[in-house]
Amino acid sequence: MMDGGLIQIEVCRKKGKPCHNGSIQQILLHESDIFTVGEDGYIRVWDFETIDTAEAVEEGGKMEIEPLNELKVGTDSKLMGITHGADNDMALWFAQDANGNVWKLDLSFSKNSLDPEIVQSFMSGAITGLDVSTSYDIFAASAGNSVRIMHTFTQDVLAQRIFNKKTTSLKWIPSAVDEKSDGIFLGFEDGVVRFVRLRSVTNKSEKKLDFDIRLSQVIKPHTKSVTCIALEVSNRWVATGSADGTVFFFNFSPKGLTPIGFVNTKNAVTYMTWTPSHYAKPRLMVCLNNGTVLEYDAPTGRYDATTSYSIESQLAVRIFKFRSIKSKLRHEEELERKRKEEEERQKKLEEERRLRGIEKKDKATYTDLTILISVYSTATATADVVIVFTF
């Protein structure tokens, strides 16, 4: 509590515990209570009168108080705020979750209170991966730290899984490699690659979704985010590219990935693709963030990985460098614009000089005529004068 810009009392729980573990996103006064909403997923209710009438022994003193009621929303929610629902139902509230959920809450805090319920769910953050199943009308999308399986036409959420790290890439295994086509590779910001499979939910009374995303394998081939995953169908090779400047090759089987080795690209990998299946020799095209494209031969040989998985010296590579002419074109456009501005400026100066020259000439002619008339006017006292004006 503050008074005149100074902290008068700091409210905390018993033994100096904070009101919430993490930041408090919202504080609101409702009737005679204070509601606090925290990123820890808790909504706590405090007695306003107790806090309002509290007096600190010294400035900035602490007042220990326990909440009247509290509600934990979900298991890993990050609440950003709550708002009251219908006027005729004082217990109905809605909460916004940073994970992309909108919760329906019963804040009556009675024995018959309903459990929190997700009424709407959205992807949270930028979409980092998107791929479709080659066997079913479903697709997978990753955003933030979550992955969702959705129906292509109805757009219903069929499955969802939340991880403790942000997803950065996604690849659905096609039916040409795996008949079931239920496997998905996921890349994460910490360099980890997870192999997950889609499984039907056997007991739907416990879960509302139709499928589970079950973890099958975890492997960490990189030190930074996995930016892309490419799969060669004919030979079942998988390549993962990373921001750490490496490409790792794997053999794929129904059990998961078996490492072959890696190459160092020296720059962050932005995109990868294998050559089409009708090519005589399969190759991997790797695009880097400095405008370079590397073409690696496929890892067809046997490599000794007893001391290191590095196979850079054993794979042939061709290098293509591209230069951006965008800056050059913009520079030329800027020079052309300045040239035209200078031409316009010179034209204006010439026009101003021309106008000033005409004014000077007219002024000089007027002065000469005035003098000439004056002379002849004096002469007319004694002689006849004929004045001729020439224009």
Side-chain angles (χ1 to χ4, degrees):
M1 292 185 64
M2 302 183 68
D3 184 14
L6 300 175
I7 298 175
Q8 296 299 314
I9 296 176
E10 181 181 342
V11 180
C12 63
R13 304 178 72 180
K14 289 183 179 181
K15 296 182 181 181
K17 293 181 179 180
C19 296
H20 288 268
N21 294 325
S23 62
I24 297 175
Q25 295 295 326
Q26 184 183 17
I27 300 175
L28 61 90
L29 178 63
H30 179 67
E31 296 179 348
S32 60
D33 297 322
I34 294 177
F35 286 57
T36 57
V37 181
E39 276 194 345
D40 56 2
Y42 277 93
I43 299 172
R44 291 193 168 102
V45 184
W46 314 82
D47 183 55
F48 170 73
E49 186 176 354
T50 303
I51 298 175
D52 187 46
T53 57
E55 295 183 1
V57 178
E58 57 182 8
E59 184 180 322
K62 292 186 177 181
M63 182 190 69
E64 295 184 349
I65 183 176
E66 286 297 309
L68 300 176
N69 291 293
E70 67 177 20
L71 175 66
K72 180 68 170 75
V73 180
T75 56
D76 55 357
S77 62
K78 295 182 179 179
L79 299 182
M80 306 302 293
I82 61 174
T83 184
H84 198 264
D87 293 335
N88 57 356
D89 189 351
M90 300 302 294
L92 177 61
W93 292 75
F94 294 98
Q96 181 185 359
D97 184 354
N99 291 326
N101 300 318
V102 176
W103 294 83
K104 179 182 177 182
L105 308 176
D106 180 358
L107 298 184
S108 62
F109 299 104
S110 64
K111 294 181 179 180
N112 299 323
S113 296
L114 301 175
D115 292 333
E117 177 187 358
I118 297 177
V119 292
Q120 288 290 339
S121 186
F122 308 91
M123 300 295 283
S124 176
I127 303 295
T128 57
L130 183 69
D131 205 357
V132 298
S133 168
T134 57
S135 300
Y136 312 101
D137 295 326
I138 55 179
F139 67 93
S142 61
N145 61 345
S146 66
V147 175
R148 287 187 179 183
I149 310 298
M150 304 182 70
H151 195 280
T152 306
F153 301 110
T154 64
Q155 298 186 10
D156 293 334
V157 179
L158 305 178
Q160 176 174 298
R161 179 153 183 168
I162 298 176
F163 300 89
N164 58 357
K165 295 292 183 179
K166 291 184 179 180
T167 57
T168 53
S169 54
L170 180 150
K171 182 65 178 178
W172 199 309
I173 302 173
S175 55
V177 177
D178 187 3
E179 292 182 1
K180 295 181 179 179
S181 188
D182 59 356
I184 302 172
F185 293 120
L186 300 172
F188 291 83
E189 62 180 350
D190 57 352
V192 170
V193 175
R194 288 179 170 87
F195 175 43
V196 298
R197 287 191 179 276
L198 201 60
R199 292 289 182 262
S200 299
V201 174
T202 55
N203 189 355
K204 292 189 177 181
S205 61
E206 297 179 0
K207 292 192 175 182
K208 295 183 179 180
L209 300 179
D210 297 330
F211 298 93
D212 267 340
I213 299 176
R214 297 182 185 176
L215 188 62
S216 180
Q217 184 186 22
V218 180
I219 192 169
K220 192 178 190 308
H222 303 284
T223 58
K224 293 184 180 180
S225 62
V226 182
T227 54
C228 48
I229 302 172
L231 193 151
E232 206 280 328
V233 175
S234 300
N235 299 279
R236 297 189 174 187
W237 290 314
V238 175
T240 60
S242 172
D244 63 4
T246 60
V247 174
F248 216 111
F249 295 92
F250 301 89
N251 283 316
F252 173 73
S253 68
K255 294 181 179 180
L257 298 173
T258 303
I260 298 174
F262 72 91
V263 293
N264 191 353
T265 63
K266 298 180 181 180
N267 288 92
V269 178
T270 57
Y271 181 75
M272 298 189 309
T273 184
W274 290 92
T275 52
S277 57
H278 62 268
Y279 275 48
K281 292 182 64 177
R283 294 185 177 95
L284 179 68
M285 308 295 291
V286 181
C287 301
L288 307 180
N289 65 348
N290 65 344
T292 302
V293 176
L294 305 177
E295 185 185 49
Y296 286 99
D297 283 353
T300 54
R302 292 182 176 273
Y303 306 99
D304 183 11
T306 54
T307 58
S308 174
Y309 275 106
S310 177
I311 58 174
E312 185 175 352
S313 61
Q314 304 176 60
L315 282 187
V317 60
R318 282 156 292 280
I319 302 174
F320 307 90
K321 292 186 177 181
F322 295 85
R323 291 183 180 180
S324 173
I325 61 171
K326 184 178 181 180
S327 58
K328 183 179 180 181
L329 293 174
R330 285 187 171 179
H331 179 65
E332 292 177 353
E333 290 176 355
E334 182 66 14
L335 291 178
E336 180 65 17
R337 184 185 66 80
K338 290 182 177 180
R339 186 187 66 80
K340 290 182 179 180
E341 288 181 353
E342 182 63 20
E343 287 183 356
E344 291 294 326
R345 191 179 69 84
Q346 291 296 335
K347 286 181 180 179
K348 289 182 180 179
L349 288 175
E350 291 177 3
E351 183 66 18
E352 290 176 357
R353 292 194 189 102
R354 188 181 68 80
L355 293 175
R356 285 200 297 269
I358 293 174
E359 290 176 356
K360 287 181 179 180
K361 185 177 179 181
D362 291 345
K363 186 176 181 181
T365 304
Y366 175 74
T367 303
D368 293 343
L369 288 175
T370 303
I371 296 172
L372 193 61
I373 292 171
S374 177
V375 171
Y376 279 107
S377 297
T378 306
T380 55
T382 56
D384 295 333
V385 178
V386 177
I387 301 174
V388 179
F389 296 93
T390 304
F391 298 93

